[in-house]
Amino acid sequence: MSDALARRDERDLRDTMVDGSELHARLAKTWGTGRGLIAALSTVDHKIVARRYLVTAFVFLFLGGLSAAAMRIQLARPENQFIGPDLYNQLFTMHGTTMMFLFAVPVMEAVGIYLVPLMLGTRNIAFPRLNAFSYWVFLFGGLFLWVAFILNIGPDVGWFAYTPLSGPQYSPGKRTDVWAQMITFTEIAALATAVEFIVTILKQRAPGMTLDRIPLFVWAILVTSFVIVFAMPAVMVASTMLILDRLIGTHFFNPSEGGDSLLWQHLFWFFGHPEVYIIFLPAAGMVSSIVVAFARRPALGYLPLVLSLIAVGFLSFGLWVHHMFTTGLPQLGAAFFTANSMLIAIPNGIQIFCWIATLWGGKPVFRTPLLFVLGFFFIFVLGGLSGIMLASVPIDTQVHDTYFVVAHFHYVLIGGAVFPLLGAVYYWFPKITGRMMSERLGRWNFWLAFIGFNLAFFPMHLLGLQGMPRRVYTYQPEMGWGTLNLLATIGSVILLISFVLFLWNVVSSNRRGEIAGDNPWDAGTLEWATSSPPPPQNFDRIPLVTSREPLWAERGPLPVVGGLAVDMRQVVVGTVTEARPILRESSPEPSIWPLFAAIAVGGTFLGSIFTPWAVVWGSIPVAITLIGWFWPSGSPEDEK
Amino acid sequence: MKAHRLAEDLSALPTYGFGTSMTMWWGTLGFCALEGMGFALAIGAYLYLVHVNAQWPLADVPPNHWPGTILTIILLASIWPNLQAERRAREENLPAVRRWLIVMCALGALLVAIRFYEFTQLNVRWDQNAYGSITWIILGLHAAHLLTDLGDTAVLAALMFTRHAKGKRFSDVEDNAFYWYFVVGSWLPLYLLVYWVPRW
């Protein structure tokens, strides 16, 4: 360092005063996570938190998958004795709850937490401590559920826990309490993350990234976050009412005291249907990223794609009653929800056409990520078609609660979310780890998953039409469902093998994969402008965005802005529409308090299952930890 | 990392601002939106229960509205000192900010006390029937907001008496005041629901 620089006031060193490796090293020190256990538990780096989120969510995917495999073995032949009815009830509840609440939503948020700040050209997510808190809450909520299952108090009332079955009269004991409190608790994580995304996307975009230059994946996360903000409170209100009915004798869902069981269904599905789109929309964003990168051209129909995302977000709130067609609703209501359920196929269809047209007009490179996207087209469209069938009240009435519905939503969810997610892992793995995944294993992974999935779930359509109800632990030989069930079980084993292969590919590529470099796919968005894996500060200088695909527009040196502090954490904050820079706002430094706060909140929730007084006494540690979190430490980030 | 060229210098930008310029303001708005959604759903649940029951309220007498009415008047009156705290914060007038934050703490404590009394005047228990349950949960949801806002304001007031009371802390005071408007505004429909729908 030069003498002139050394003499300068170190507390206000700007990135215009240093350059090259010195700038890089200083920023990495400022934004880095220290060594040791305390530092690891205190980190607020969005990339580290996202990696933890990803690993945890995939662990839950495997747990949910293994519970499905156990059910499939049980159903492989009639009157099988592998699993009894009680464990079977717990297994399908654990499977659904885990997949929806502990895998699908968190994994989509995890990908967003990793990528959104990078795609926007900023250095951390907004409210990074809240982000760390949300991870701990998610982890504790998931552990809570699975430890309860191991202790034989796993919930057994299905993932939507209909009353009166889940009420105090028909489900005594702690099993449903565990479910209700786990739901309320983990949804805190989803809501917190949604607020972080909204603020990051609206306020922390790189200068020049106007609304019409936001990457499609980021648009998808933004719309998803708004859907979360308006949908998730419904399940929190519902699960809170359920736990109150069970623990302190309220009567929200008790018809004999003026309550109503259908109130539960309304509140649950007001959340539950948007939930499907909370899972699907980020996946649509992943598909857009992959299609553009591998078609080697910008998206055809950026505007229709964005408007479709927004339309789906809105329409997702007008569908919930189609889960309740057999409850005896007024016809007019049913007609409205039928119309809406069919209407939502239009924006989804527009997206599919835009993607196909983009590929058609480009020079597609068929690598593994694109294979998964093509698999997504096939499976998701089939799921959409059976969805349109189910939107019709007469058909729905016939196949309600049968395997036809099970087939439909697995086509939509695995096709619509898991296939794009696997493609996304192959696509962004090089950015996260610095190494490529094996292409050969990737192709095996894809074809086994595609064949296994269809073999497992297509027969379920037929089983449903033949009248096989869902959630039965066995069936009699004379029903004639044995062959199709055996076929489904064989398919599920192949699907499981594909996931083992995926896991092997991740683990081995992480160690020995080919070195990726900054931009192995020659993609156009900002996450590929930084090194792989990115340094703690993401970018040495904040990019100045001039185009929708900045790296394609700027083949030479990337234009950047300067003037941010080097020795303290600062991010550029801009205007909502134009992303015109207005502030150099400080970004919080690491803190152990979010972990303590999550422990305090988690302990309160756990205690509340045993006594309502836990809420009163638990509020004391919660308040202490929150004060610890917010009280300034005297760091420059806190004072400037 | 890709090579770059400096195109613009942001050195002159301030490090904090007020209102919509700050991320915290938007974060507060986000939480107002999701909590507001919680209130809206509770209102929906209340009206749903009114709809499915032939008689409403499911009690002999409706709640005594006077404690709630007094609370509503104080809540509405609190907008003025809250506005003062907000404006003085924008001016970065520390002595005035301290004064108005203390006023807001005192008002918050008074409101929490009245809220506790309100629960005793509902003329129905939470475990009596669905009407009691929904009335208690609505009042409880809003009580949680009064309590947490009192906590926030007290901590912030204490902070403004320390060496940290400078710069962006004034922006925090402004955001805290902004959240109070939400606490006041969200109460008004709940007040009508809890005290006047049973009299309708």
Side-chain angles (χ1 to χ4, degrees):
Chain A
M1 200 192 311
S2 70
D3 287 349
L5 268 182
R7 280 197 302 275
R8 199 183 288 278
D9 183 0
E10 292 274 311
R11 281 168 303 175
D12 198 24
L13 187 67
R14 302 295 179 85
D15 63 9
T16 42
M17 302 169 187
V18 277
D19 212 347
S21 59
E22 191 194 337
L23 175 65
H24 184 84
R26 276 181 176 272
L27 282 170
K29 185 167 176 290
T30 303
W31 288 86
T33 297
R35 287 164 189 272
L37 183 65
I38 301 294
L41 297 176
S42 307
T43 188
V44 291
D45 185 329
H46 71 100
K47 300 178 290 297
I48 297 176
V49 173
R51 282 208 308 261
R52 290 176 186 168
Y53 245 113
L54 278 169
V55 170
T56 313
F58 271 99
V59 168
F60 285 127
L61 169 72
F62 277 88
L63 288 173
L66 289 174
S67 47
M71 288 188 285
R72 276 319 317 167
I73 292 170
Q74 165 64 16
L75 292 176
R77 60 192 178 97
E79 295 191 332
N80 202 358
Q81 301 293 317
F82 180 61
I83 292 169
D86 180 63
L87 181 60
Y88 192 88
N89 286 350
Q90 286 188 69
L91 279 175
F92 72 67
T93 307
M94 292 298 289
H95 171 73
T97 306
T98 301
M99 289 305 199
M100 296 303 270
F101 293 103
L102 302 177
F103 166 64
V105 176
V107 84
M108 294 299 169
E109 295 197 321
V111 177
I113 292 169
Y114 197 96
L115 290 173
V116 164
L118 289 166
M119 287 185 163
L120 295 180
T122 186
R123 286 187 171 147
N124 207 348
I125 197 163
F127 316 125
R129 288 183 182 177
L130 187 64
N131 192 39
F133 172 78
S134 83
Y135 169 71
W136 298 121
V137 164
F138 158 59
L139 175 68
F140 297 155
L143 284 176
F144 185 18
L145 184 73
W146 277 90
V147 168
F149 175 70
I150 291 165
L151 299 177
N152 196 26
I153 42 173
D156 56 355
V157 289
W159 85 277
F160 41 71
Y162 275 0
T163 56
L165 174 64
S166 60
Q169 197 180 351
Y170 297 99
S171 290
K174 292 291 167 207
R175 286 181 171 183
T176 307
D177 298 340
V178 168
W179 183 87
Q181 288 304 64
M182 196 285 298
I183 296 301
T184 315
F185 183 60
T186 48
E187 294 320 287
I188 298 173
L191 282 163
T193 313
V195 172
E196 295 156 19
F197 280 136
I198 291 173
V199 177
T200 310
I201 296 168
L202 293 183
K203 294 295 287 177
Q204 287 187 208
R205 303 198 304 278
M209 190 183 281
T210 50
L211 288 180
D212 62 347
R213 289 177 187 160
I214 296 180
L216 285 162
F217 175 74
V218 178
W219 264 115
I221 292 286
L222 181 66
V223 176
T224 305
S225 302
F226 276 105
V227 176
I228 289 177
V229 162
F230 293 108
M232 292 275 183
V235 73
M236 289 182 76
V237 168
S239 53
T240 303
M241 287 175 170
L242 178 62
I243 201 85
L244 293 176
D245 267 15
R246 295 179 55 83
L247 297 180
I248 62 162
T250 57
H251 299 286
F252 294 107
F253 308 119
N254 176 9
S256 62
E257 290 294 347
D260 189 56
S261 265
L262 281 189
L263 175 61
W264 169 266
Q265 294 196 24
H266 279 294
L267 285 172
F268 187 87
W269 291 116
F270 187 85
F271 140 82
H273 203 84
E275 165 89 344
V276 176
Y277 293 96
I278 289 169
I279 295 165
F280 169 66
L281 288 175
M286 293 167 181
V287 170
S288 289
S289 296
I290 294 171
V291 163
V292 168
F294 290 91
R296 315 296 313 138
R297 55 155 292 159
L300 190 142
Y302 175 90
L303 189 64
L305 279 167
V306 172
L307 292 178
S308 294
L309 290 170
I310 297 171
V312 170
F314 272 105
L315 290 173
S316 72
F317 285 92
L319 305 176
W320 85 90
V321 173
H322 75 208
H323 297 266
M324 301 166 61
F325 278 158
T326 56
T327 59
L329 291 161
Q331 264 190 340
L332 186 67
F336 173 83
F337 285 93
T338 291
N340 230 357
S341 306
M342 293 185 176
L343 192 63
I344 201 162
I346 295 176
N348 282 324
I350 290 174
Q351 293 196 80
I352 305 258
F353 282 122
C354 285
W355 291 321
I356 292 174
T358 306
L359 286 169
W360 196 277
K363 298 188 181 85
V365 182
F366 291 95
R367 302 288 294 269
T368 306
L370 190 59
L371 288 183
F372 275 102
V373 166
L374 298 180
F376 150 79
F377 287 154
F378 182 84
I379 297 170
F380 182 70
V381 168
L382 277 180
L385 290 174
S386 58
I388 289 180
M389 291 166 74
L390 286 169
S392 153
V393 178
I395 297 181
D396 183 87
T397 311
Q398 288 301 313
V399 296
H400 184 80
D401 261 349
T402 70
Y403 263 84
F404 188 86
V405 176
V406 177
H408 158 71
F409 67 70
H410 282 92
Y411 264 77
V412 174
L413 289 170
I414 298 186
V418 178
F419 270 69
L421 176 73
L422 293 179
V425 172
Y426 279 90
Y427 180 57
W428 280 299
F429 186 86
K431 181 49 63 184
I432 298 174
T433 64
R435 291 177 185 273
M436 305 297 285
M437 284 177 81
S438 157
E439 187 67 17
R440 193 170 60 87
L441 282 176
R443 285 172 189 270
W444 274 97
N445 179 187
F446 168 73
W447 284 109
L448 284 174
F450 186 76
I451 294 166
F453 170 82
N454 283 295
L455 201 57
F457 291 98
F458 194 81
M460 293 184 191
H461 291 106
L462 306 176
L463 282 168
L465 292 174
Q466 288 172 14
M468 182 173 170
R470 65 195 286 203
R471 297 178 170 176
V472 288
Y473 83 104
T474 194
Y475 51 93
Q476 285 70 45
E478 52 271 24
M479 302 306 290
W481 300 333
T483 312
L484 286 173
N485 267 301
L486 182 61
L487 209 59
T489 301
I490 293 169
S492 69
V493 171
I494 298 174
L495 187 59
L496 189 67
I497 292 170
S498 82
F499 275 96
V500 173
L501 209 59
F502 169 77
L503 187 66
W504 170 246
N505 199 353
V506 167
V507 173
S508 62
S509 302
N510 190 33
R511 289 197 190 145
R512 292 186 300 272
E514 188 192 329
I515 299 293
D518 292 0
N519 191 359
W521 314 113
D522 188 29
T525 39
L526 283 178
E527 77 273 27
W528 303 105
T530 185
S531 42
S532 308
Q537 69 270 31
N538 290 352
F539 303 92
D540 286 349
R541 291 202 178 96
I542 303 302
L544 178 72
V545 176
T546 53
S547 146
R548 211 169 274 162
E549 276 88 19
L551 304 192
W552 288 350
E554 305 284 348
R555 288 289 178 182
L558 196 67
V560 293
V561 297
L564 294 191
V566 174
D567 291 338
M568 64 173 279
R569 294 169 179 235
Q570 255 179 7
V571 293
V572 177
V573 169
T575 55
V576 172
T577 51
E578 292 180 309
R580 184 170 46 77
I582 48 177
L583 292 177
R584 295 177 291 120
E585 201 176 300
S586 57
S587 177
E589 76 278 29
S591 165
I592 191 77
W593 287 105
L595 171 62
F596 290 160
I599 293 171
V601 177
T604 305
F605 270 87
L606 186 61
S608 70
I609 290 182
F610 301 96
T611 163
W613 287 102
V615 178
V616 178
W617 298 119
S619 65
I620 298 168
V622 170
I624 292 171
T625 51
L626 290 181
I627 292 170
W629 174 342
F630 290 112
W631 199 266
S633 65
S635 67
E637 284 84 354
D638 274 338
E639 301 302 325
K640 289 193 176 176
Chain B
M1 196 168 299
K2 198 166 156 59
H4 51 242
R5 61 184 163 83
L6 201 59
E8 201 180 325
D9 189 348
L10 307 180
S11 299
L13 290 183
T15 56
Y16 69 93
F18 289 93
T20 57
S21 66
M22 294 287 276
T23 51
M24 188 57 87
W25 187 92
W26 289 89
T28 311
L29 183 67
F31 277 93
C32 290
L34 71 90
E35 288 160 27
M37 192 64 205
F39 283 131
L41 288 159
I43 292 171
Y46 187 102
L47 296 175
Y48 182 87
L49 291 172
V50 173
H51 171 73
V52 297
N53 283 286
Q55 176 212 338
W56 196 266
L58 302 172
D60 298 333
V61 269
N64 171 11
H65 78 84
W66 279 111
T69 303
I70 292 168
L71 178 127
T72 309
I73 293 167
I74 300 174
L75 261 181
L76 286 171
S78 73
I79 290 177
W80 190 77
N82 192 51
L83 191 69
Q84 294 306 313
E86 186 184 3
R87 287 191 178 156
R88 299 297 88 81
R90 274 181 179 260
E91 293 162 7
E92 306 196 9
N93 178 346
L94 185 58
V97 164
R98 286 173 173 167
R99 260 197 317 276
W100 289 111
L101 280 178
I102 290 171
V103 171
M104 287 308 293
C105 285
L107 279 172
L110 176 67
L111 288 163
V112 168
I114 299 175
R115 174 54 49 84
F116 271 99
Y117 182 65
E118 273 182 272
F119 281 108
T120 68
Q121 296 297 302
L122 291 176
N123 296 323
V124 65
R125 274 169 60 96
W126 67 88
D127 55 359
Q128 201 169 319
N129 53 44
Y131 158 70
S133 307
I134 192 77
T135 304
W136 275 73
I137 202 175
I138 285 181
L139 209 59
L141 268 178
H142 194 263
H145 281 73
L146 288 178
L147 261 173
T148 48
D149 195 278
L150 175 61
D152 285 353
T153 311
V155 172
L156 196 58
L159 193 61
M160 296 312 278
F161 282 90
T162 68
R163 67 189 166 89
H164 305 293
K166 59 187 179 194
K168 69 176 180 186
R169 299 293 151 219
F170 289 106
S171 185
D172 292 344
V173 174
E174 191 209 25
D175 291 332
N176 189 59
F178 169 53
Y179 187 74
W180 184 251
Y181 296 128
F182 166 71
V183 175
V184 176
S186 59
W187 170 245
L188 299 178
L190 303 179
Y191 168 67
L192 293 177
L193 212 59
V194 169
Y195 293 107
W196 297 99
V197 169
R199 290 182 160 76
W200 191 22

